[in-house]
PDB file of all heavy atoms in Angstrom:
ATOM      1  N   TRP B 891      95.253 133.664 100.183  1.00 85.00           N
ATOM      2  CA  TRP B 891      95.699 132.210  99.916  1.00 85.00           C
ATOM      3  C   TRP B 891      94.618 131.544  99.204  1.00 85.00           C
ATOM      4  O   TRP B 891      94.820 130.192  99.005  1.00 85.00           O
ATOM      5  CB  TRP B 891      96.086 131.580 101.258  1.00 85.00           C
ATOM      6  CG  TRP B 891      97.397 132.103 101.901  1.00 85.00           C
ATOM      7  CD1 TRP B 891      98.146 133.075 101.396  1.00 85.00           C
ATOM      8  CD2 TRP B 891      97.955 131.616 103.095  1.00 85.00           C
ATOM      9  NE1 TRP B 891      99.144 133.207 102.352  1.00 85.00           N
ATOM     10  CE2 TRP B 891      99.120 132.439 103.380  1.00 85.00           C
ATOM     11  CE3 TRP B 891      97.504 130.665 103.932  1.00 85.00           C
ATOM     12  CZ2 TRP B 891      99.896 132.201 104.385  1.00 85.00           C
ATOM     13  CZ3 TRP B 891      98.479 130.446 105.139  1.00 85.00           C
ATOM     14  CH2 TRP B 891      99.559 131.238 105.342  1.00 85.00           C
ATOM     15  N   TRP B 892      93.519 132.146  98.852  1.00 88.00           N
ATOM     16  CA  TRP B 892      92.368 131.399  98.248  1.00 88.00           C
ATOM     17  C   TRP B 892      92.791 130.380  97.151  1.00 88.00           C
ATOM     18  O   TRP B 892      92.320 129.271  97.193  1.00 88.00           O
ATOM     19  CB  TRP B 892      91.300 132.328  97.819  1.00 88.00           C
ATOM     20  CG  TRP B 892      90.287 132.612  98.911  1.00 88.00           C
ATOM     21  CD1 TRP B 892      90.037 133.695  99.589  1.00 88.00           C
ATOM     22  CD2 TRP B 892      89.516 131.638  99.535  1.00 88.00           C
ATOM     23  NE1 TRP B 892      89.135 133.597 100.524  1.00 88.00           N
ATOM     24  CE2 TRP B 892      88.691 132.197 100.575  1.00 88.00           C
ATOM     25  CE3 TRP B 892      89.276 130.295  99.395  1.00 88.00           C
ATOM     26  CZ2 TRP B 892      87.846 131.581 101.276  1.00 88.00           C
ATOM     27  CZ3 TRP B 892      88.356 129.544 100.177  1.00 88.00           C
ATOM     28  CH2 TRP B 892      87.631 130.292 101.179  1.00 88.00           C
ATOM     29  N   PRO B 893      93.344 130.754  96.155  1.00 88.00           N
ATOM     30  CA  PRO B 893      93.513 129.839  94.961  1.00 88.00           C
ATOM     31  C   PRO B 893      94.252 128.597  95.419  1.00 88.00           C
ATOM     32  O   PRO B 893      93.769 127.439  95.043  1.00 88.00           O
ATOM     33  CB  PRO B 893      94.402 130.718  94.090  1.00 88.00           C
ATOM     34  CG  PRO B 893      94.291 132.061  94.408  1.00 88.00           C
ATOM     35  CD  PRO B 893      93.984 132.148  95.785  1.00 88.00           C
ATOM     36  N   LYS B 894      95.236 128.729  96.139  1.00 87.00           N
ATOM     37  CA  LYS B 894      96.014 127.433  96.609  1.00 87.00           C
ATOM     38  C   LYS B 894      95.134 126.508  97.570  1.00 87.00           C
ATOM     39  O   LYS B 894      95.206 125.336  97.358  1.00 87.00           O
ATOM     40  CB  LYS B 894      97.304 127.876  97.288  1.00 87.00           C
ATOM     41  CG  LYS B 894      98.478 128.109  96.258  1.00 87.00           C
ATOM     42  CD  LYS B 894      99.749 128.321  96.919  1.00 87.00           C
ATOM     43  CE  LYS B 894     100.767 128.837  95.921  1.00 87.00           C
ATOM     44  NZ  LYS B 894     101.917 129.474  96.596  1.00 87.00           N
ATOM     45  N   LEU B 895      94.472 127.223  98.365  1.00 90.00           N
ATOM     46  CA  LEU B 895      93.548 126.500  99.248  1.00 90.00           C
ATOM     47  C   LEU B 895      92.506 125.813  98.544  1.00 90.00           C
ATOM     48  O   LEU B 895      92.227 124.564  98.890  1.00 90.00           O
ATOM     49  CB  LEU B 895      92.930 127.382 100.329  1.00 90.00           C
ATOM     50  CG  LEU B 895      93.956 128.046 101.353  1.00 90.00           C
ATOM     51  CD1 LEU B 895      93.419 128.946 102.318  1.00 90.00           C
ATOM     52  CD2 LEU B 895      94.515 126.904 102.181  1.00 90.00           C
ATOM     53  N   LEU B 896      91.932 126.434  97.516  1.00 91.00           N
ATOM     54  CA  LEU B 896      90.888 125.816  96.750  1.00 91.00           C
ATOM     55  C   LEU B 896      91.463 124.621  96.014  1.00 91.00           C
ATOM     56  O   LEU B 896      90.838 123.634  95.978  1.00 91.00           O
ATOM     57  CB  LEU B 896      90.353 126.840  95.636  1.00 91.00           C
ATOM     58  CG  LEU B 896      89.018 126.628  95.217  1.00 91.00           C
ATOM     59  CD1 LEU B 896      87.959 126.822  96.340  1.00 91.00           C
ATOM     60  CD2 LEU B 896      88.689 127.555  94.121  1.00 91.00           C
ATOM     61  N   LEU B 897      92.711 124.769  95.593  1.00 88.00           N
ATOM     62  CA  LEU B 897      93.196 123.521  94.874  1.00 88.00           C
ATOM     63  C   LEU B 897      93.473 122.383  95.942  1.00 88.00           C
ATOM     64  O   LEU B 897      93.281 121.215  95.696  1.00 88.00           O
ATOM     65  CB  LEU B 897      94.604 123.945  94.242  1.00 88.00           C
ATOM     66  CG  LEU B 897      94.551 124.610  92.946  1.00 88.00           C
ATOM     67  CD1 LEU B 897      95.821 125.081  92.325  1.00 88.00           C
ATOM     68  CD2 LEU B 897      93.853 123.592  91.827  1.00 88.00           C
ATOM     69  N   ILE B 898      94.039 122.752  97.064  1.00 90.00           N
ATOM     70  CA  ILE B 898      94.210 121.699  98.063  1.00 90.00           C
ATOM     71  C   ILE B 898      92.870 120.982  98.449  1.00 90.00           C
ATOM     72  O   ILE B 898      92.807 119.856  98.530  1.00 90.00           O
ATOM     73  CB  ILE B 898      94.895 122.386  99.344  1.00 90.00           C
ATOM     74  CG1 ILE B 898      96.260 122.920  98.887  1.00 90.00           C
ATOM     75  CG2 ILE B 898      95.023 121.289 100.363  1.00 90.00           C
ATOM     76  CD1 ILE B 898      96.850 123.624 100.118  1.00 90.00           C
ATOM     77  N   THR B 899      91.803 121.782  98.538  1.00 91.00           N
ATOM     78  CA  THR B 899      90.494 121.193  98.916  1.00 91.00           C
ATOM     79  C   THR B 899      90.049 120.272  97.772  1.00 91.00           C
ATOM     80  O   THR B 899      89.536 119.277  98.131  1.00 91.00           O
ATOM     81  CB  THR B 899      89.442 122.432  99.050  1.00 91.00           C
ATOM     82  OG1 THR B 899      90.053 123.345  99.884  1.00 91.00           O
ATOM     83  CG2 THR B 899      88.258 121.881  99.671  1.00 91.00           C
ATOM     84  N   LEU B 900      90.220 120.678  96.540  1.00 90.00           N
ATOM     85  CA  LEU B 900      89.927 119.860  95.426  1.00 90.00           C
ATOM     86  C   LEU B 900      90.616 118.649  95.566  1.00 90.00           C
ATOM     87  O   LEU B 900      90.089 117.512  95.262  1.00 90.00           O
ATOM     88  CB  LEU B 900      90.219 120.703  94.195  1.00 90.00           C
ATOM     89  CG  LEU B 900      89.249 120.408  92.984  1.00 90.00           C
ATOM     90  CD1 LEU B 900      87.931 120.844  93.140  1.00 90.00           C
ATOM     91  CD2 LEU B 900      89.929 120.931  91.663  1.00 90.00           C
ATOM     92  N   PHE B 901      91.917 118.676  95.852  1.00 88.00           N
ATOM     93  CA  PHE B 901      92.773 117.462  95.834  1.00 88.00           C
ATOM     94  C   PHE B 901      92.368 116.485  96.868  1.00 88.00           C
ATOM     95  O   PHE B 901      92.248 115.255  96.677  1.00 88.00           O
ATOM     96  CB  PHE B 901      94.214 117.958  95.992  1.00 88.00           C
ATOM     97  CG  PHE B 901      95.200 116.932  95.574  1.00 88.00           C
ATOM     98  CD1 PHE B 901      95.406 116.872  94.189  1.00 88.00           C
ATOM     99  CD2 PHE B 901      95.952 116.166  96.437  1.00 88.00           C
ATOM    100  CE1 PHE B 901      96.406 115.965  93.837  1.00 88.00           C
ATOM    101  CE2 PHE B 901      96.938 115.310  96.006  1.00 88.00           C
ATOM    102  CZ  PHE B 901      97.053 115.169  94.557  1.00 88.00           C
ATOM    103  N   ILE B 902      91.973 116.945  98.104  1.00 90.00           N
ATOM    104  CA  ILE B 902      91.533 116.263  99.242  1.00 90.00           C
ATOM    105  C   ILE B 902      90.282 115.543  98.798  1.00 90.00           C
ATOM    106  O   ILE B 902      90.038 114.402  98.992  1.00 90.00           O
ATOM    107  CB  ILE B 902      91.434 117.004 100.479  1.00 90.00           C
ATOM    108  CG1 ILE B 902      92.743 117.439 101.050  1.00 90.00           C
ATOM    109  CG2 ILE B 902      90.572 116.311 101.468  1.00 90.00           C
ATOM    110  CD1 ILE B 902      92.806 118.166 102.258  1.00 90.00           C
TER     111      ILE B 902
END
Side-chain angles (χ1 to χ4, degrees):
Chain B
W891 290 0
W892 265 117
K894 277 181 188 175
L895 291 173
L896 204 66
L897 277 176
I898 296 171
T899 312
L900 208 70
F901 203 74
I902 286 177

